[in-house]
Amino acid sequence: MNSAARAQLIDSIAQLEDNQVHIVQEVAAQIKGSTEARDAYALIAKCDEAQLGQIRNIVDSMLRPMVELINPQSTLVSNSFSAEFRARLQAHHGTHITPLDRLAFENALAASCAAEGMTVEMAPSKTTRFWDLRVDGKQISAKSTSAKDIKLHELHISKLSEGAWIQDCRSARMRYDGTMTLLEAFLAAVQRWIVLRAYRLKSEPDALIYELVEVPMDLFAAIEHLKVQHFSSDSPRIDVRDEQGTALQLLLDRSDSKVTINKIPKDRCIVHGTWKLEGVASGPLITG
């Protein structure tokens, strides 16, 4: 990259918001193996052509149009959170053609909560059961999905938990007891369940939409009202209802040894925010 192109890159960085600039600084520091991320321009001066190209891609992504819609009633997303989360989505798509995966989402969620002034702790290990990060004392399970079968008005959780014990259950009573033991441990460990969904609409195939959705924990708690007879099948698929109607569908998948949650009505969840990135033609294409 010649000096004119380098100067143009620096001019482009100057057009970015503060949250975007600090991510560019982080990337430049990572590229150069530096612990000092504050002086992006000094780091850029030391980058070679390939490194500068990577930074250029991120900056260009940050300059592309984005439509953001934040729920004014959200207890999670407000100005500082949304600025950080938006910048991290844009930075991701400067170097990736696929939507954020679970680990990238966890990191973006943690950084955005921290930017909002919340106290954030990551789970002790990547194998910690049920939860991924603790925010202001509440343990959060963070999931991301860009599954091909994503539905606009329903949420699906492909794996609530591993369930090797399902293979050993030979009666409805054993399946019932195993499920209730799992549910008790899950509800004790998790206070908030947050899902990032990514998809494109057939009416707008060149725009990727991200939804940050929280599933109220009382929908999971409705499983407590099931009876032994609901578990008579070897791989029960149980529609769980409460006083407001359908809460979810519980599936004990014996073939894959996992517990799956399906058919959560989105209108019973909290959509904290929606971000639409123009010019990103990746992710599942759905009708809507």
Side-chain angles (χ1 to χ4, degrees):
M1 184 178 290
N2 59 38
S3 58
R6 196 183 300 267
Q8 184 182 38
L9 174 57
I10 290 173
D11 287 343
S12 295
I13 294 172
Q15 299 174 40
L16 301 177
E17 299 174 0
D18 290 345
N19 292 77
Q20 295 171 319
V21 171
H22 88 71
I23 291 176
V24 173
Q25 291 171 334
E26 289 178 5
V27 170
Q30 290 168 3
I31 287 173
K32 298 308 296 179
S34 172
T35 58
E36 181 54 72
R38 286 180 295 181
D39 193 351
Y41 301 127
L43 290 168
I44 286 171
K46 300 175 183 178
C47 289
D48 61 27
E49 292 287 328
Q51 293 167 337
L52 287 170
Q54 185 176 357
I55 296 172
R56 173 83 264 177
N57 289 339
I58 291 171
V59 173
D60 286 346
S61 178
M62 288 177 166
L63 292 171
R64 282 204 298 265
M66 173 184 278
V67 177
E68 180 181 60
L69 181 62
I70 303 303
N71 180 351
Q73 306 302 317
S74 174
T75 58
L76 180 68
V77 179
S78 55
N79 292 341
S80 296
F81 181 108
S82 63
E84 182 72 19
F85 197 73
R86 179 174 66 246
R88 289 184 177 270
L89 290 178
Q90 292 171 312
H92 174 83
H93 285 285
T95 54
H96 297 75
I97 61 171
T98 55
L100 262 70
D101 61 16
R102 183 181 64 84
L103 182 58
F105 170 49
E106 287 176 21
N107 292 335
L109 180 61
S112 301
C113 288
E116 195 60 47
M118 303 177 192
T119 301
V120 179
E121 303 167 74
M122 302 305 291
S125 75
K126 296 303 176 186
T127 58
T128 298
R129 197 179 190 200
F130 297 130
W131 65 279
D132 304 295
L133 66 160
R134 184 184 292 121
V135 176
D136 284 349
K138 293 185 177 181
Q139 292 175 175
I140 295 176
S141 179
K143 301 288 186 184
S144 67
T145 180
S146 56
K148 291 181 179 179
D149 60 350
I150 196 168
K151 292 180 171 59
L152 194 61
H153 302 298
E154 288 182 351
L155 276 72
H156 298 258
I157 300 166
S158 61
K159 185 175 72 174
L160 176 69
S161 172
E162 298 286 354
W165 53 271
I166 299 172
Q167 296 286 347
D168 300 324
C169 292
R170 301 301 177 187
S171 68
R173 168 57 68 178
M174 292 177 70
R175 285 185 285 272
Y176 171 84
D177 289 344
T179 299
M180 294 306 156
T181 299
L182 174 71
L183 180 66
E184 182 180 7
F186 168 70
L187 292 176
V190 178
Q191 286 78 58
R192 301 184 78 170
W193 185 282
I194 297 176
V195 182
L196 182 69
R197 295 166 19 112
Y199 58 86
R200 294 174 298 135
L201 298 175
K202 289 184 178 179
S203 57
E204 299 179 89
D206 294 324
L208 181 65
I209 297 172
Y210 282 100
E211 284 182 340
L212 190 64
V213 184
E214 181 166 358
V215 181
M217 296 305 295
D218 60 2
L219 296 186
F220 296 106
I223 297 171
E224 294 177 334
H225 303 301
L226 296 178
K227 306 298 182 184
V228 173
Q229 57 264 32
H230 289 112
F231 295 84
S232 57
S233 168
D234 283 347
S235 293
R237 186 184 298 267
I238 307 167
D239 292 325
V240 180
R241 299 178 62 84
D242 60 17
E243 64 278 1
Q244 296 183 48
T246 299
L248 52 85
Q249 183 184 78
L250 171 69
L251 170 63
L252 303 188
D253 192 335
R254 190 170 184 180
S255 62
D256 289 339
S257 297
K258 65 181 182 180
V259 179
T260 297
I261 301 292
N262 295 327
K263 296 186 177 179
I264 302 172
K266 196 174 79 173
D267 62 6
R268 297 196 62 181
C269 299
I270 303 161
V271 180
H272 288 288
T274 303
W275 295 264
K276 182 167 70 173
L277 285 73
E278 303 290 347
V280 181
S282 64
L285 195 61
I286 67 173
T287 301

